[in-house]
Amino acid sequence: MQESRLFQIVYYLLERGHATAPELAEKFEVSVRTIYRDIDALSGAGIPVYAEAGRNGGIRLMSDFVLDKAVLSQEEKQEILAALQSINIAQNINGSPTLRKLSAMFQTGSENWLEVDFSRWGSEEPDKEKFELLKSAVIHRRAVMIDYAGSGGETCRRTVQPYKLVYKSKAWYLKGFCEKRQDMRMFKLNRILDMEVLKEGFVRRDVQDEEEAFDGEYDQITLRFPGEAAYRVYDEFDKSQIQRQENGDLIVCAKMPEDAWLIGFLLSFGAQVDILSPAHLREVVAEQAKLIYERNKT
């Protein structure tokens, strides 16, 4: 218990910069005397921690102190290496200098337990190059100009202030402020046909306002599927959105954007989907199904 508290004191001081003994005593639910004994123990172990008297005094770490490998347990070292491996998205980080240096410093290796590759079959390098450019634009807050294939079939050029890359429903999206629409928008990476990172920087808007504005674009739809379609339903929807009926049918309630993609998505279920609401969506899908029939009948 004491060893765990000593680590936590170091982490707390690294995060806050300094703290008083009563503050630490209250946080870790021990006496002030115990805190001073802990500080002595840390100092004796080689951690450069000291107490400073005066009005602005307190317990501090030396300003140039860096967390030493000895402060981390073997399990924590493995978790850090595993976390780095789990972001193997745009490049093979398992061979990166960062991972090699940490493995050497920790004097441990880690199992290569996870691989994520978002690129399409036969299109690995272009997709990864696009991802890297967008990642850099997000980090350095640089606007991007994109040629985008819209859901209506048109291609348009837009300037976007990129905020984050989002993985949702088996696809990667760029979330950012569209200067043309003057609003937050989501752009599917596969539909970005060409792009250029601009020198123009930008100031991020309030994050909470972004989320509210974006989520407000979605309406709830209610769908019914027969039990034999369960394999596909659970592929596409979270179990919290699905209710199984006594007759085996599955009722799905989800918020989704009403656009050309949604129409195509619903049509992909064929006769196995019944749109319960909204009524106008049911009419649109039925009309599209009629057009498909007329175009393909012999």
Side-chain angles (χ1 to χ4, degrees):
M1 178 64 182
Q2 181 191 16
E3 181 179 345
S4 175
R5 187 175 66 248
L6 293 178
F7 289 161
Q8 291 180 50
I9 290 174
V10 173
Y11 299 146
Y12 190 82
L13 293 176
L14 282 169
E15 181 182 0
R16 301 298 180 90
H18 73 284
T20 64
E23 177 184 348
L24 292 172
E26 181 179 358
K27 178 172 179 58
F28 297 108
E29 299 179 349
V30 295
S31 68
V32 172
R33 180 175 295 181
T34 297
I35 290 296
Y36 280 121
R37 284 201 296 265
D38 288 345
I39 299 304
D40 287 340
L42 287 170
S43 180
I47 304 297
V49 59
Y50 64 97
E52 191 175 53
R55 182 177 179 181
N56 297 318
I59 299 169
R60 303 174 184 272
L61 290 166
M62 295 291 290
S63 59
D64 59 349
F65 173 70
V66 177
L67 192 62
D68 186 79
K69 63 181 180 181
V71 180
L72 297 171
S73 67
Q74 186 67 22
E75 181 180 354
E76 289 168 330
K77 295 173 187 177
Q78 289 287 352
E79 287 179 357
I80 290 173
L81 295 175
L84 284 174
Q85 285 185 339
S86 71
I87 60 173
N88 179 19
I89 295 174
Q91 58 185 351
N92 183 12
I93 197 170
N94 195 43
S96 75
T98 302
L99 196 58
R100 288 200 303 270
K101 289 177 181 177
L102 283 176
S103 295
M105 185 181 78
F106 293 161
Q107 295 183 348
T108 185
S110 62
E111 295 295 330
N112 191 8
W113 66 279
L114 178 66
E115 180 177 350
V116 179
D117 188 350
F118 67 87
S119 60
R120 293 164 288 186
W121 293 107
S123 183
E124 181 175 344
E125 291 307 318
D127 281 344
K128 290 187 176 182
E129 181 181 358
K130 183 191 303 179
F131 189 94
E132 281 295 305
L133 287 172
L134 289 172
K135 181 178 73 173
S136 177
V138 170
I139 293 173
H140 299 291
R141 298 187 182 181
R142 292 290 183 266
V144 294
M145 182 179 293
I146 63 173
D147 291 332
Y148 190 70
S151 57
E154 77 289 351
T155 299
C156 61
R157 177 162 292 185
R158 299 191 186 190
T159 300
V160 180
Q161 299 173 3
Y163 280 53
K164 63 176 68 174
L165 291 166
V166 179
Y167 186 79
K168 190 173 183 65
S169 187
K170 305 177 185 176
W172 281 99
Y173 295 84
L174 170 66
K175 181 177 182 180
F177 185 81
C178 176
E179 295 186 1
K180 179 179 180 180
R181 301 296 186 188
Q182 286 294 297
D183 200 0
M184 295 299 297
R185 287 290 187 269
M186 290 272 272
F187 301 93
K188 195 170 185 178
L189 260 62
N190 288 347
R191 295 185 190 171
I192 298 177
L193 307 180
D194 198 7
M195 64 168 291
E196 177 186 357
V197 179
L198 306 177
K199 294 181 180 180
E200 170 191 345
F202 64 91
V203 178
R204 291 175 61 98
R205 290 163 175 77
D206 184 76
V207 174
Q208 184 175 0
D209 290 343
E210 296 166 17
E211 298 293 341
E212 290 176 355
F214 178 73
D215 291 340
E217 297 176 6
Y218 290 174
D219 293 323
Q220 180 162 294
I221 65 172
T222 305
L223 311 169
R224 180 169 57 212
F225 300 90
E228 56 265 27
Y231 73 96
R232 174 82 187 280
V233 174
Y234 284 105
D235 271 351
E236 304 291 352
F237 300 96
D238 185 77
K239 66 178 182 179
S240 64
Q241 299 172 312
I242 305 169
Q243 291 184 347
R244 184 178 288 275
Q245 307 300 295
E246 291 184 1
N247 65 354
D249 286 355
L250 302 172
I251 303 296
V252 173
C253 295
K255 287 188 174 183
M256 303 177 74
E258 291 190 27
D259 55 16
W261 172 87
L262 178 61
I263 305 304
F265 172 73
L266 294 174
L267 285 170
S268 71
F269 286 94
Q272 290 187 314
V273 61
D274 184 9
I275 303 170
L276 303 182
S277 68
H280 69 269
L281 180 60
R282 183 185 185 97
E283 295 172 359
V284 171
V285 172
E287 185 62 32
Q288 287 295 312
K290 289 179 183 178
L291 291 175
I292 293 173
Y293 170 76
E294 292 295 331
R295 181 170 295 179
N296 292 278
K297 71 177 181 179
T298 56

